[in-house]
Amino acid sequence: QVQLQESGPGLVKPSQTLSLTCTVSGGAISSDVYYWSWIRQAPEKGLEWIGYAYYSGHTYYNPSLTGRLTISVDTSKNQFSLQLSSVTAADTAVYYCARERKYRLPGAPESFDIWGQGTMVTVSS
Amino acid sequence: EIVMTQSPGTLSVSPGERATLSCRASQSVSSDLAWYQQRPGQAPRLLIYGASTRATGVPARFSGSRSGTEFTLTISSLQSEDFAVYYCQQYNNWPRTFGQGTKVEIK
């Protein structure tokens, strides 16, 4: 079955760039069926959708983060990545990667059906 | 963006009792509404999509319904493993948005 795994530094200094990678196993990221998203959760807070990348390279970002955000796909490595620049303490969170079906099919789950376990990123000097 | 509002913030329920959680969308999302369960230290888990369809492996005690822009998640008889935080999320429009969560705690 498809599994997602986040990886990257757990500590980033203020004003620097946060970089994370999500590795997809058990399925091809190059499938045209899915969007590949990043979602974050600040400590003791709710969930915030960050943005997605599609296998073709098309992306869509949360307007609240546009300008600091880049999400990209590397089909050769079956990975997608997140880069968030000019980070502050407000970007401290658990970052999740997740899969969302683009095309609906009867009997197929919709929305974010598979999630990574999450990785904690702290922004601090 | 579409604002999702969940109520109550915390629900205290005894094991074996019914729990009813609410979610309201600020505008129509059709039935493009999902519910997730999040236990401490874990990633969210998809429970319900399409407002009322249970995801694979989700027990039948979980059910979802829709009335206009109001959505309900019902847990018919709470088990110990159901005490968690529950989030609703719309996937009708971009950006995807979540409710703030309802914590179901042991009474």
Side-chain angles (χ1 to χ4, degrees):
Chain A
Q1 70 281 21
V2 175
Q3 293 183 314
L4 307 181
Q5 178 68 58
E6 305 89 350
S7 59
L11 181 64
V12 181
K13 289 182 167 50
S15 80
Q16 293 192 342
T17 296
L18 181 163
S19 297
L20 296 174
T21 296
C22 181
T23 300
V24 180
S25 59
I29 200 170
S30 56
S31 166
D32 65 350
V33 174
Y34 299 105
Y35 295 119
W36 303 96
S37 281
W38 288 97
I39 296 161
R40 70 181 180 179
Q41 185 172 36
E44 305 304 316
K45 299 293 186 183
L47 298 161
E48 179 185 28
W49 178 78
I50 296 171
Y52 78 74
Y54 191 50
Y55 83 102
S56 62
H58 176 74
T59 56
Y60 186 88
Y61 302 149
N62 192 319
S64 67
L65 294 168
T66 299
R68 297 199 293 138
L69 185 59
T70 302
I71 299 177
S72 58
V73 171
D74 187 336
T75 56
S76 68
K77 295 182 179 179
N78 227 33
Q79 296 175 335
F80 62 109
S81 299
L82 164 74
Q83 287 192 308
L84 183 64
S85 63
S86 305
V87 297
T88 70
D91 296 309
T92 293
V94 175
Y95 285 76
Y96 297 100
C97 53
R99 181 185 85 169
E100 178 183 359
R101 176 175 286 271
K102 182 177 189 287
Y103 299 111
R104 300 185 188 186
L105 290 175
E110 299 167 2
S111 199
F112 302 113
D113 66 331
I114 296 179
W115 296 63
Q117 66 185 27
T119 187
M120 180 68 202
V121 178
T122 301
V123 178
S124 174
S125 55
Chain B
E1 74 177 41
I2 296 176
V3 177
M4 307 302 294
T5 303
Q6 291 186 242
S7 61
T10 302
L11 190 60
S12 298
V13 185
S14 299
E17 290 188 340
R18 173 187 294 258
T20 303
L21 290 66
S22 297
C23 173
R24 182 176 71 248
S26 61
Q27 64 189 73
S28 176
V29 297
S30 187
S31 290
D32 298 337
L33 189 284
W35 289 95
Y36 299 87
Q37 176 193 68
Q38 187 176 34
R39 297 177 177 135
Q42 296 187 13
R45 167 198 177 197
L46 178 65
L47 292 178
I48 300 281
Y49 61 91
S52 61
T53 303
R54 281 189 301 277
T56 302
V58 174
R61 63 181 180 272
F62 291 90
S63 63
S65 64
R66 171 199 173 195
S67 176
T69 59
E70 300 276 348
F71 299 86
T72 301
L73 174 69
T74 301
I75 312 171
S76 60
S77 177
L78 273 156
Q79 307 298 303
S80 58
E81 61 267 29
D82 301 336
F83 292 96
V85 179
Y86 293 83
Y87 294 94
C88 63
Q89 177 246 327
Q90 65 81 20
Y91 53 97
N92 185 260
N93 275 341
W94 302 99
R96 303 311 197 212
T97 48
F98 293 86
Q100 78 276 26
T102 291
K103 181 179 181 180
V104 178
E105 65 176 23
I106 300 175
K107 186 174 182 181

